[in-house]
Amino acid sequence: MLLFTDLLSSICFIYFLFLNMYKDFDIYYLMWLFLSLFFLLISFIQRKYNKNRKLPLWLLVSMYTVTTVGIFIYFFINALIIMSIKRDIKPNIDYLVILEPDFNERNLDKTTEYILNKVMDYVSGNSETNIVLSGGKAEESNVSYAEYMASYLVDRGVDPDLILVEIQSKNTRESIIYSNALIARVVKERRKEFSEAMAINAGPVYIAEEEKPLAIGLITNDISACRVKLFINKKRYRQWDTFSSRSDIWLYPHFTLKETFMILKDKFMGYL
């Protein structure tokens, strides 16, 4: 068991160093440093106990129990994440929502580029689909996440008339809520404009509600799809469907650990 905890401590610390070299610092990287120190502490207590047995056995048992439960929760949530992956976007989506990505002012990360490239491939064959880009401004940034993504798409040939931008949200939960509100407002305004245009030649016209409900798709990375789907179900957004895109392979361990923490936190807060 000592070898196992020593190995886990080393792996977590090396990965922590790797993350800081591979990508701009994120406060969640500290989870790996914490895990490294936690496993190192277990090894230290185990060695002390093996040497003189002066430490209480319950302390060692408690730490191993916490570790075992934590590993079980991690793999259980990752099973849910895997089951939530749905790569193929169904055709004829009315609105395709892209949530706030990991971002810095210099460039988009690989995971976000994978998502936006998938969006471009989709709209090339579904030209009537509107794109909703969601995300507010980061600290020390003069441009919002959504505006930066919009520039990326327009620079690569996407029709700007198809793009809607939501710049108020600060997290995934707000991105979904505000995007839903933006879509509802746009639909209402377009119906009003159509009614007014018809009234010019035909007198007052009353537009009935569409028989066909809106089809709204949300695309995010593979790892976040589970949490997003749970939140959408909680909010009862029945017109929404969740799709996923691949993530940066080197960040999969970090994303899955972070997502495990985020799902537990949001569940505790009552968001899921």
Side-chain angles (χ1 to χ4, degrees):
M1 189 60 74
L2 271 174
L3 180 61
F4 178 67
T5 52
D6 285 342
L7 181 62
L8 287 178
S9 177
S10 299
I11 290 173
C12 290
F13 184 71
I14 292 171
Y15 191 61
F16 169 73
L17 296 177
F18 166 78
L19 288 172
N20 283 278
M21 292 185 291
Y22 183 72
K23 196 169 178 282
D24 291 344
F25 178 76
D26 183 337
I27 191 67
Y28 287 100
Y29 293 170
L30 294 176
M31 292 189 298
W32 294 95
L33 181 60
F34 171 80
L35 285 176
S36 176
L37 295 175
F38 178 75
F39 291 129
L40 188 64
L41 177 62
I42 293 177
S43 295
F44 174 78
I45 293 175
Q46 179 71 68
R47 286 188 172 89
K48 283 289 186 180
Y49 181 80
N50 291 346
K51 184 176 181 180
N52 52 35
R53 299 187 181 274
K54 290 183 178 179
L55 290 174
L57 179 59
W58 66 263
L59 179 61
L60 189 61
V61 172
S62 297
M63 299 193 76
Y64 278 125
T65 301
V66 169
T67 302
T68 303
V69 171
I71 291 174
F72 173 80
I73 292 174
Y74 173 78
F75 281 107
F76 176 77
I77 290 179
N78 274 268
L80 296 179
I81 289 173
I82 292 172
M83 289 188 293
S84 298
I85 294 174
K86 184 162 62 173
R87 294 277 181 85
D88 295 329
I89 307 176
K90 63 184 180 183
N92 302 318
I93 292 285
D94 296 307
Y95 292 89
L96 189 59
V97 179
I98 298 89
L99 302 183
E100 174 182 324
D102 289 326
F103 169 89
N104 60 53
E105 288 193 82
R106 296 183 297 279
N107 51 49
L108 295 170
D109 67 3
K110 289 183 180 179
T111 299
T112 306
E113 287 185 359
Y114 293 151
I115 293 173
L116 295 178
N117 291 338
K118 187 166 187 173
V119 170
M120 288 189 291
D121 289 340
Y122 181 80
V123 297
S124 66
N126 297 269
S127 57
E128 298 299 316
T129 297
N130 292 271
I131 303 168
V132 180
L133 303 172
S134 178
K137 290 183 180 180
E139 294 182 5
E140 303 178 357
S141 175
N142 295 320
V143 61
S144 69
Y145 296 123
E147 291 168 321
Y148 199 91
M149 290 190 291
S151 296
Y152 182 93
L153 294 175
V154 171
D155 289 346
R156 287 157 180 78
V158 175
D159 184 354
D161 290 337
L162 296 176
I163 297 176
L164 303 173
V165 176
E166 182 284 302
I167 60 173
Q168 292 179 285
S169 59
K170 299 297 183 183
N171 54 53
T172 299
R173 180 174 60 87
E174 290 183 356
S175 287
I176 296 172
I177 294 172
Y178 295 164
S179 295
N180 188 66
L182 175 60
I183 292 170
R185 191 192 74 188
V186 169
V187 169
K188 183 177 180 181
E189 289 176 352
R190 288 177 177 175
R191 288 176 179 171
K192 181 180 178 182
E193 290 172 0
F194 179 71
S195 178
E196 290 174 349
M198 290 290 291
I200 294 174
N201 296 320
V205 174
Y206 299 94
I207 305 300
E209 291 294 324
E210 293 180 337
E211 293 183 4
K212 171 184 171 294
L214 285 177
I216 302 174
L218 185 152
I219 182 169
T220 185
N221 64 72
D222 285 340
I223 312 303
S224 299
C226 177
R227 178 162 54 99
V228 167
K229 186 175 182 179
L230 290 172
F231 180 75
I232 288 173
N233 291 340
K234 177 77 171 181
K235 297 294 289 184
R236 297 184 179 179
Y237 291 165
R238 305 191 190 284
Q239 297 170 317
W240 287 59
D241 201 354
T242 306
F243 307 98
S244 57
S245 175
R246 63 185 176 133
S247 301
D248 186 342
I249 191 172
W250 296 108
L251 296 178
Y252 259 96
H254 175 62
F255 283 157
T256 54
L257 180 63
K258 177 181 176 181
E259 199 63 23
T260 298
F261 170 78
M262 296 300 292
I263 288 175
L264 293 174
K265 177 183 74 70
D266 285 355
K267 187 66 175 177
F268 176 78
M269 296 293 291
Y271 298 145
L272 304 181

